[in-house]
Each structure stands twice: as structure tokens, then as C-alpha cells.
Amino acid sequence: MSRKRALALGASGALSAGTLAPATASAHGLVGKQDLPIPRVLFAWAAAIVLIVSFVALGALWKRSRWESGVRERELLRFPRWLEIPCGLVGVALFGLGVYAGLAGTKEATSNLLPNLIYVLFWVGLPFLSALFGDVFRPFNPWLAIARASGWVVRRIGGDSVPEPLPYPERLGRWPAVVGILGFAWLELVYVDKDNTVTLAVLSIAYCVLQLVAMSLYGADRWSRRGDAFGVYFNLISRLSPLHWRDARLYARTPLAGVVPLNAVPGTVALVCVLIGSTSFDGFSQGQIWNGSNGGAGLAGRLQDFFTGLGLSLQSALEAAFTVGLLVMIGLISGLYRLGVNGMSDIGERYPASDLSRRFVHSLVPIALAYVVAHYFSLLVYQGQATAYLISDPLGDGHNFFGTANVGINYTVISATQVWYAQVAALVAGHVSGLILAHDRAIAIYAKPSAATRSQYWMLTVMVAFTCLGLYLLSESA
Amino acid sequence: MPVRSCAVMAALLAAAALTGCAGTSSSAPKNADITVNVVNGKPQGGVKTYKVKKGGHVHFVVKSDVADEVHVHGYNFHKDVPKGGTVTFDFPAKIDGGFIAELENAHQTLINLQVEP
């Protein structure tokens, strides 16, 4: 993650601007250990494997669609509906504890539960859990639980006089979630004061209130599936999982297959591009092109100088520079996908590009997950350990509830080499998964197999580009 | 495009990727001897990156014109440095990864230390 680099950057940016003070001197990081860049040899091998696998897959994959006619699910177990109540209570309690720690606890980010809860367990931990175990966030979603509980109370009291929720505007689609994810990415990757515990607590409350208002207007269930940024994001990732929680039952299904029936309402393509783009920028903003190397100014320093030249303060100029970087990276990802889709629109049935863009977006979901795994796997392994001492002393004021307050972080549980292999494996796996999903869709929508294959030259180019970009961002060249 | 020409293309691209990158792997020195001069609360010459091989030895000296605490992250070493004073860290590089050392109270990064496996 970029926290520590932002500090280094402040120094280099200030250097290029002469005698100015370091711009990000107030930020404090959670991260004690960063990943080493992937060595070039490993990078080259991974890229070569990706290329070979891709081209072999074109000829070798199945010829008739396997998933489009519906995915078979096998029931594993049933559980009583009332379980939703204790789950919701746990979610609300954790939310309350985090916010309380943020407001009342120490201002030192590494000793306060809230930054760890938000940036590590929630933002990184839940996508990992969702990919493995399905949409496990939903039963614990605190705002959804509060909205459901209050809806139940209101119906008990008001009876038939309670108005029906408004119809959710179809044109809105997943756009509210896009705005929410973009806002969170900005907070995490751009905002200088991102580790301020009070700010984080206030933003958490504000987000919760906003969700409750929207849920009361459009219905809790509807809004949570379209507008709640985190609910939508974790659900999207959970569709790759072999487990599916639905109607008080747990089902097993083929991994990846759950994302095939994804209804690509407006905003879905943007959501996936924002996810991939923001993770990409997180990687890029830690590299030497952005930060400069050994005292020399990088892109960020130059952009910062440009914005201070326009009259912005050092801190605002740095944020402006990072905002530009984030938006350009998201634009680059969107443009790359659009390019592939445009290429496809000339083939076979000549589907319009906007149509194809929605039809193939599900194949980018495993790539979005792969980027998250590659960039944040080590963060979860190292910083996740901080939970042990934070849960014993959530406010950082010397308590020791569970006797674990003095447990430190063991940075040797996985080695730098193991992190590299995990990163490369994640990107290659994401690439192959995306390839399979796109292939299955292509043979379903094109009547002629030759058209389906030709359409996949384009998707293949897009995916090879994404995967090589992902590898490049982790390498020492970036 | 038939499958065979795809395979040929893939092989060519892979060969290009491999030859283009062969032999450029960086090698870190066995030991690191690092001295940082802190002038006006900032490292002279900017924040630099130092590499060292895992298992080697790190000798890290900070001369500071401000009083603060020097913190080597990851290894978690803390030492106070008085104004105009010097602190020295000597330690075996036994954890691989990227670490920073900073002036803890000023939140000023001094160096990036990369311990390579």
C-alpha cells in the first residue's frame, strides 16, 4: 500500500521544489514492510507463460458453451432464518466498536483499531474471504442489518400505512457503487490525512447514514445490491466463489460460474474498471517512475510542482497530483477494454461495442480479484496480524482484554520469494479464468465458431495487456 | 488464424520477452554501510534506496541536526538521537523485504532499505 511511499515521495517532491517542507509529513503509515519488486527474470517467465497459455487455449478450449444455459448448484446445507439476527448484531457491534475506537482512541494509526479494521480487514480481507467462501459480508453488513431491523419495526407499528419503497431507477444501475468505490480509492490512495482516526470514524458514520437514507427510499434489499459500494463490490467478487448463500441455504457450484449470469446493468463496466484501475494506481504510485529514484523527482514530484505553480499548497498539490494519477490509470484501463471491444464489434454478428462491453465485462472480474490478491496478499498476511494486539487494546490506551496486547507482527511468516510467487500465480490464475469466461461467452453469442475465435483475438489482447501491466507494476521497472 | 500460427507467434513473443530481459537481474551487495546526514530535519541528498543481501550485515549511521527518534520499520529498532548527535544501528539483515527508517516524531523518511533474498 502507498502510505509509506507517500512519505518518501513528500521528500523527493519537496527536493525538486527547492526549500519547501515535506508535503506529507503528517501522514502515518500502517505498513511496516513493503514487497520487493519482482525480479525481471521472474517477470519475463510469467509473461511468457501467460502468452503461451493464451494462444494454446484458443485452440484447445471447449467448442460448445458450458455455462450460458444455467449453472447447476448442489445444496450443501440449510440453516434457520433467525441466524440473520445474531450475524447482523455482530456486524453492527464491530462497526460500533471501530467507530468508537476511532473517536475515543489514540490518534496513533498503528495503535488504533479503526484504520486496521477499515484498510486491512474490511477492504482487503473481505474480498479474499468472498472469493473463497461466497458473499459472507451480506449477513454481517451493518447498514443492511440496521435498515432491515428498522424496516421490521416500522411495519409492525405502521402496518399498511407504511409507503412502498420507490422503484429503483434502472438507469442508475451500479453507478452509486462506482461513486462509492472511487471515493474510497481516493481516500486510501490520494488523501494525505487518510490515517486520521477521527476522520475515518466520521466518514464511516456518514457512509452508514447515507446508506440508511437510500435504503429507506429504494428498499434495503434493492439498494444493497445496486448502490451500497461495498456490498456490491464484495458480492461481485463472491460470484467467483464455489459457495453460494441463498434463501437460508448453502449451495456448491463450479468456481467462476457464478459470475456468468451477472446482469451488467449501467455502471457495471465502470465499476470493474475503477476496481482494476485503482489497484493498478496503488502499485504504480509505489514505483520509481512515480516517486523518482535516489533523490531525483518522479512524475508525482513534477505534477506536484506544476500544481504548486498554480497556487495550491504543497499538500493540496500532492493530492491533485495523485488524483490525476488515479484518474489517468482508471482511464487507461477503461480505454484498453474499450479498444478490445471495438475490435470485436467488426466481427460476425457485428454487435454494437456498447453491447459487447456489457456482455464481456464479467470476464474481467477474476482479473480485478487477481490484482487485489497480487497487491495486497502480503499486507493481509503481515498487517492482519496486528488484529491480535488491536483487539486486546482497540483504543491503544493500555488495555489488554484478551492477553494479546503485546503480540507483535512476525515479518518472517512468508518470505519475499514466496510473496513473488503468490503474486505471479494470482495474476496468471486471474488471466486464465478471464480467458475461460470470455471464451464461453463468445461461443454462446456468435453463431459461427470462426467468428467466436476471431472475437477472442481481441479479448486475448486485452487480457494479455492487463496481465502484463499487472506484472509490470509489481516489477522493478515500474 | 489457425492454431499452428498462433503457437508460432506465442513462441516468438515468449522468446522475445525472455531474451529482452535475460541477465538484467540486479544483485544486492552482501553488506550495507549507510550514513545519513540529517540537515534541517531532512536527509541530505533526498531519500535513497539501499540494497543488501539477506544474511548480510547492515551498518546504519544517522547524524542529525534535530532531536528525534530514529525508527527502523519491520526490524522495529528505536533509538533516540539528540540534536547534533549520532546514532548507530548494527544488525544482521535477517528479514527480507522493503523497509523504511524514519524520524519517528517528524514522520520524515530517511532511507529505503531493501533486503533481497
Side-chain angles (χ1 to χ4, degrees), chain A residues 42-66:
Chain A
L42 183 59
F43 169 82
W45 273 109
I49 291 169
V50 162
L51 285 172
I52 293 168
V53 164
S54 307
F55 282 91
V56 169
L58 261 190
L61 279 177
W62 51 84
K63 307 289 182 214
R64 198 175 297 161
S65 172
R66 292 195 172 178

Side-chain angles (χ1 to χ4, degrees), chain A residues 4-5 7-8 11 15 20-22 25-28 31-34 36-37 40-41 44-45 48 51-52 55 58-59 294-295 411-412 415-417 420 457 476, chain B residues 1 3 6 9-10 13-14 17-18 21 24-26 42 45-49 51 73-74 95-100 102 104 106-109 112 114-117:
Chain A
K4 275 304 163 193
R5 285 297 178 149
L7 298 176
L15 197 80
L20 298 169
S26 62
H28 197 97
V31 178
K33 170 174 169 174
Q34 298 148 0
L36 292 174
R40 289 200 177 91
V41 173
W45 273 109
L51 285 172
I52 293 168
F55 282 91
L58 261 190
N294 284 342
Y411 286 110
T412 58
S415 69
T417 326
W420 288 335
Y457 294 150
E476 49 198 340
Chain B
M1 197 165 21
V3 175
C6 286
M9 200 166 125
L13 283 168
L18 282 176
C21 301
T24 51
S25 175
S26 63
K42 279 194 279 296
V47 179
K48 291 184 179 162
T49 301
K51 294 185 177 189
H73 281 253
I95 314 172
D96 52 21
F99 306 95
I100 63 157
E102 68 172 347
E104 188 72 357
H107 299 313
Q108 169 66 53
T109 304
N112 291 304
Q114 295 196 338
V115 181
E116 299 199 340

Side-chain angles (χ1 to χ4, degrees), chain A residues 150-295:
Chain A
S150 46
W152 183 81
V153 170
V154 167
R155 274 193 305 277
R156 283 300 290 260
I157 297 169
D160 291 339
S161 63
V162 180
E164 283 289 303
L166 300 172
Y168 186 82
E170 274 312 310
R171 283 174 54 201
L172 216 52
R174 291 189 171 89
W175 280 109
V178 176
V179 173
I181 293 291
L182 193 59
F184 188 91
W186 190 89
L187 169 76
E188 188 195 21
L189 305 177
V190 177
Y191 186 50
V192 169
D193 213 11
K194 63 194 127 216
D195 287 332
N196 184 315
T197 53
V198 176
T199 309
L200 286 177
V202 171
L203 285 174
S204 305
I205 295 169
Y207 184 81
C208 184
V209 169
L210 196 68
Q211 298 311 303
L212 291 177
V213 171
M215 283 174 178
S216 69
L217 286 176
Y218 297 113
D221 200 61
R222 193 79 188 136
W223 180 262
S224 73
R225 290 177 195 281
R226 288 285 183 266
D228 171 11
F230 303 106
V232 171
Y233 170 36
F234 301 146
N235 175 268
L236 190 67
I237 296 296
S238 78
R239 289 163 179 265
L240 304 170
S241 158
L243 295 178
H244 188 198
W245 306 83
R246 177 164 54 88
D247 300 330
R249 287 181 178 85
L250 175 63
Y251 298 90
R253 64 186 173 198
T254 318
L256 301 181
V259 82
V260 173
L262 175 71
N263 183 3
V265 295
T268 307
V269 176
L271 179 69
V272 176
C273 289
V274 166
L275 287 171
I276 299 178
S278 54
T279 317
S280 302
F281 178 66
D282 194 5
F284 185 66
S285 66
Q286 293 176 45
Q288 55 184 2
I289 296 175
W290 185 251
N291 294 298
S293 54
N294 284 342

Side-chain angles (χ1 to χ4, degrees), chain B residues 53-76:
Chain B
K53 202 83 185 157
K54 186 180 174 185
H57 186 87
V58 179
H59 179 69
F60 175 41
V61 181
V62 180
K63 296 176 185 165
S64 179
D65 66 351
V66 291
D68 205 317
E69 180 191 74
V70 179
H71 179 195
V72 183
H73 281 253
Y75 287 78
N76 240 355

